[in-house]
């Protein structure tokens, strides 16, 4: 790999100062499972690598009954997948985290890294977007909070400005009778990127069985993770029947804008969207 | 640009002079002569470079050596006690769980970490644990059998 200067800031403020100083010549390093690959392939050539992995204040899962969930950006996929706190109220987050990569990758890969790398296939994104999560960002001008859905601006591109760092992901308390599922189609474990990822979070009233709220979020089928909003509208306010599942899955597939690449063809991805949306809806109904 | 760091590997302390851009894999193999850990893909996909840092399996090819300083690192060289193989190593030998042997150190290291946390696994759990380690020779059957046998042996030893 090319040489670089290396820093280990001990706090978010130190990291922000370094990033503001070096701007595009700096790259944040956390778990390294994406950045190190890019460095080796020479896709990125930073002069300064800023290892934030040792910042003690960014690794946490804060959840109390009735309060919103807060996850520190350095929380690893392993921690998320095994969290007893999360599995009770936000099991879809555990499910998504557990499907990323393989055990050795999950031991070091961070939530912040997965989101900031901003692959359209990012495994942690669809479920969190479906949960209406927000991203807390620290920068030279202070903090800002934006909907996670607006965090991605294109393939491998996020809205962070020079000097900014993602510090936390927040999720509201789910409404009663809300369940979620994240299904991923991909070669398992090694060449692991999702060919298609589907997260569905649905609120289904206990007595009437009417779906009062639903979010359908698709990964790997557009430049960023996307909501299948027309499919959502086709279900909202209805009981989820087999016929509706079929129809909505078809609509979701039409909302996907996949490309053809070495993992799959656009046409097959559209087919997979239909299949996986159906499976997810059946699980939730 | 070069820095002197201390690496604690298999209970021994090594002083090395490294550049920040050197990976732990490179330092283990090229500077310290610990060539048991293998370079397969060098991009984190194949698992041949697996070592343990504070008991957790990691890809040494994706780890900057400088980030591993002062932490307990375990490589394949650290498992045997003199001439006595670790139960997992012995099981791999007994069950014929290796052919070319290139994936073997990585397989044994990931199995070691896994069995420490999950001492009585199902076959499904074993295969899930190995999902990040590629073997081109064996078809994995003997590897899984060896790990099942290791679990029993390690359980009995306790």
């Amino acid at each position: 790999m090319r040489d670089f200067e290396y820093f280990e800031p001990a706090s978010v403020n130190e990291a922000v100062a370094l990033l503001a100083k070096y701007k595009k010549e700096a790259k944040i390093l956390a778990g390294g499972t994406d950045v190190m690959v890019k460095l080796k392939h020479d896709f990125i050539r930073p002069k300064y690598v800023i290892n934030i992995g040792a910042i003690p204040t960014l690794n946490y899962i804060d959840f109390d009954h009735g309060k919103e969930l807060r996850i520190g950006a350095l929380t690893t996929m392993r921690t998320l997948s095994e969290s007893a706190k999360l599995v009770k109220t936000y099991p879809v987050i555990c499910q998504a985290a557990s499907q990323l990569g393989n055990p050795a990758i999950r031991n070091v890969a961070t939530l912040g890294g997965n989101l900031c790398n901003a692959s359209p296939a990012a495994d942690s994104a669809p479920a969190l977007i479906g949960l209406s999560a927000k991203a807390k960002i620290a920068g030279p001008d202070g903090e800002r909070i934006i909907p996670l859905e607006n965090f991605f601006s294109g393939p491998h591109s996020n809205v962070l400005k020079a000097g900014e760092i993602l510090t936390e992901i927040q999720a509201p308390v789910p409404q009663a009778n809300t369940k979620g599922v994240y299904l991923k189609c991909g070669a398992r474990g090694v060449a692991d990127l999702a060919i298609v990822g589907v997260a569905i979070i649905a609120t289904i009233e206990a007595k009437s069985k009417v779906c009062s709220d639903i979010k359908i979020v698709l990964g790997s089928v557009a430049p960023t993770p996307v909501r299948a909003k027309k499919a959502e509208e086709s279900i909202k306010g209805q009981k989820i029947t087999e016929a509706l599942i079929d129809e909505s899955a078809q609509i979701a597939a039409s909302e996907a804008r996949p490309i053809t690449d070495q993992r799959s063809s656009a046409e097959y991805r559209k087919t997979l969207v239909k299949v996986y949306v159906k499976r997810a809806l059946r699980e939730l109904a | 640009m070069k820095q002197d760091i201390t690496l604690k590997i298999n209970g021994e302390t090594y002083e090395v002079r490294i550049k920040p851009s050197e990976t732990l894999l490179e330092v283990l193999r090229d500077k310290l002569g610990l060539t048991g850990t293998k370079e397969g893909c060098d991009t984190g996909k194949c698992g041949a470079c697996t070592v343990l840092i504070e008991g957790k399996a990691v890809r040494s090819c994706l780890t900057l050596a400088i980030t591993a300083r002062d932490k307990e690192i375990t490589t394949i060289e650290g498992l045997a006690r003199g001439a006595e193989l670790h139960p997992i190593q012995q099981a791999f030998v007994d069950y014929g769980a290796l052919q070319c042997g290139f994936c073997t150190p990585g397989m044994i290291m990931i199995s070691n970490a896994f069995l420490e946390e999950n001492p009585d696994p199902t076959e499904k759990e074993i295969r899930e644990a190995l999902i990040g380690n590629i073997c081109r020779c064996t078809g994995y059957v003997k590897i899984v059998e060896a790990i099942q046998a290791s679990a029993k042996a390690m359980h009995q030893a306790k």
Side-chain angles (χ1 to χ4, degrees), chain A residues 219-236:
Chain A
S220 302
V221 294
T224 67
V226 283
R227 297 254 308 274
K229 289 188 177 170
K230 291 185 192 148
E232 291 172 2
E233 286 307 309
S234 75
I235 299 179
K236 255 195 239 179

Side-chain angles (χ1 to χ4, degrees), chain B:
Chain B
M1 275 272 262
K2 291 206 175 185
Q3 270 191 40
D4 291 322
I5 62 167
T6 304
L7 291 173
K8 292 169 14 178
I9 306 170
N10 302 327
E12 306 242 3
T13 303
Y14 299 84
E15 304 287 337
V16 270
R17 178 159 292 179
I18 51 121
K19 290 194 287 188
S21 58
E22 288 179 56
T23 65
L24 180 59
L25 178 64
E26 286 169 337
V27 171
L28 286 170
R29 292 185 55 84
D30 303 337
K31 289 213 157 88
L32 300 178
L34 294 168
T35 54
T37 309
K38 305 302 180 196
E39 177 184 326
C41 68
D42 201 35
T43 47
K45 296 181 183 65
C46 74
C49 72
T50 306
V51 300
L52 307 187
I53 297 184
E54 284 167 351
K56 287 213 172 108
V58 300
R59 306 297 214 211
S60 63
C61 74
L62 297 185
T63 306
L64 292 177
I66 196 168
T67 67
R69 67 189 192 281
D70 304 320
K71 296 181 184 169
E72 300 288 339
I73 301 169
T74 313
T75 69
I76 188 71
E77 288 90 349
L79 292 195
R81 302 238 168 109
E84 191 189 323
L85 294 179
H86 187 280
I88 301 175
Q89 290 173 307
Q90 190 60 54
F92 269 60
V93 168
D94 295 340
Y95 281 77
L98 65 156
Q99 291 179 29
C100 80
F102 198 82
C103 77
T104 307
M107 283 288 180
I108 291 176
M109 295 314 288
I110 194 88
S111 306
N112 191 13
F114 169 67
L115 288 176
E116 287 294 323
E117 291 156 15
N118 194 342
D120 191 18
T122 62
E123 183 184 327
K124 183 164 184 257
E125 287 168 339
I126 293 174
R127 286 181 179 272
E128 289 277 334
L130 298 181
I131 206 138
N133 289 66
I134 308 180
C135 173
R136 296 295 282 129
C137 298
T138 68
Y140 304 95
V141 175
K142 298 296 184 182
I143 293 175
V144 172
E145 287 178 10
I147 294 168
Q148 286 170 321
S150 308
K152 286 207 182 85
M154 286 162 73
H155 197 68
Q156 270 154 15
K158 284 187 182 155

Side-chain angles (χ1 to χ4, degrees), chain A residues 1-6 8 29 33 36-37 40-41 51 78 101-105 107-108 188-190, chain B residues 1 19-21 23 42-45 56-59 61-62 64 66-67 69 117 128-129 131-132 134:
Chain A
M1 291 195 299
R2 289 172 193 272
D3 288 340
F4 46 75
E5 244 185 273
Y6 173 81
E8 276 182 8
L29 175 71
T33 56
M36 288 293 287
V37 177
K40 282 162 187 261
H41 284 313
N51 180 5
R78 166 118 190 230
N102 59 64
I105 297 292
N107 275 337
V108 298
R188 285 300 317 281
V190 283
Chain B
M1 275 272 262
K19 290 194 287 188
S21 58
T23 65
D42 201 35
T43 47
K45 296 181 183 65
K56 287 213 172 108
V58 300
R59 306 297 214 211
C61 74
L62 297 185
L64 292 177
I66 196 168
T67 67
R69 67 189 192 281
E117 291 156 15
E128 289 277 334
I131 206 138
I134 308 180

Side-chain angles (χ1 to χ4, degrees), chain A residues 4-279:
Chain A
F4 46 75
E5 244 185 273
Y6 173 81
F7 297 94
E8 276 182 8
S11 69
V12 172
N13 286 341
E14 256 188 74
V16 165
L18 286 165
L19 289 166
K21 182 176 177 188
Y22 294 122
K23 299 190 175 59
K24 289 201 172 152
E25 295 186 309
K27 187 71 186 171
I28 290 180
L29 175 71
T33 56
D34 284 318
V35 168
M36 288 293 287
V37 177
K38 288 181 177 172
L39 284 169
K40 282 162 187 261
H41 284 313
D42 225 20
F43 291 158
I44 55 172
R45 303 179 183 186
K47 276 198 193 157
Y48 311 98
V49 168
I50 299 167
N51 180 5
I52 59 168
I55 296 179
T57 54
L58 291 179
N59 190 345
Y60 55 88
I61 301 174
D62 275 346
F63 176 63
D64 264 317
H65 203 72
K67 283 199 210 150
E68 73 177 352
L69 171 69
R70 291 165 188 260
I71 306 175
L74 285 183
T75 308
T76 65
M77 290 296 145
R78 166 118 190 230
T79 303
L80 289 176
S81 67
E82 294 179 346
S83 166
K85 274 187 210 170
L86 283 181
V87 82
K88 274 198 186 139
T89 315
Y90 302 91
V92 67
I93 299 178
C94 305
Q95 188 183 26
S98 70
Q99 291 182 77
L100 186 150
N102 59 64
I105 297 292
R106 291 196 289 275
N107 275 337
V108 298
T110 63
L111 177 60
N114 190 232
L115 294 172
C116 292
N117 186 54
S119 163
D123 284 312
S124 65
L128 287 169
I129 292 172
L131 290 168
S132 303
K134 288 174 283 193
K136 187 165 162 192
I137 298 164
D141 300 326
E143 279 183 345
R144 60 188 181 113
I145 298 177
I146 62 170
L148 183 62
E149 202 175 333
N150 301 342
F151 184 75
F152 308 99
S153 48
H156 296 279
S157 167
N158 62 52
V159 300
L160 293 176
K161 295 184 256 210
E164 286 190 320
I165 173 174
L166 176 69
T167 55
E168 183 179 272
I169 293 298
Q170 304 171 343
V173 181
Q175 302 162 59
N177 302 311
T178 301
K179 286 196 290 179
V181 66
Y182 175 65
L183 299 178
K184 168 180 178 177
C185 174
R188 285 300 317 281
V190 283
D192 167 69
L193 276 167
I195 296 172
V196 158
V198 171
I200 302 188
I201 318 291
T203 306
I204 300 177
E205 303 306 330
K207 277 198 185 142
S208 64
K209 299 287 177 200
V210 162
C211 177
S212 56
D213 197 7
I214 187 163
K215 298 247 182 3
I216 300 176
V217 192
L218 309 176
S220 302
V221 294
T224 67
V226 283
R227 297 254 308 274
K229 289 188 177 170
K230 291 185 192 148
E232 291 172 2
E233 286 307 309
S234 75
I235 299 179
K236 255 195 239 179
Q238 318 269 14
K239 272 197 205 172
I240 299 185
T241 60
E242 194 55 39
L244 184 58
I245 287 175
D246 217 67
E247 186 193 324
S248 308
Q250 185 60 52
I251 298 172
S254 72
E255 294 186 84
R257 299 156 1 232
I259 59 169
T260 295
D261 65 11
Q262 73 264 41
R263 280 174 289 281
S264 188
S265 69
E267 194 189 325
Y268 190 55
R269 281 186 157 115
K270 282 203 168 215
T271 309
L272 287 174
V273 167
K274 189 169 166 193
V275 168
Y276 278 83
V277 167
K278 267 200 218 178
R279 284 187 193 174

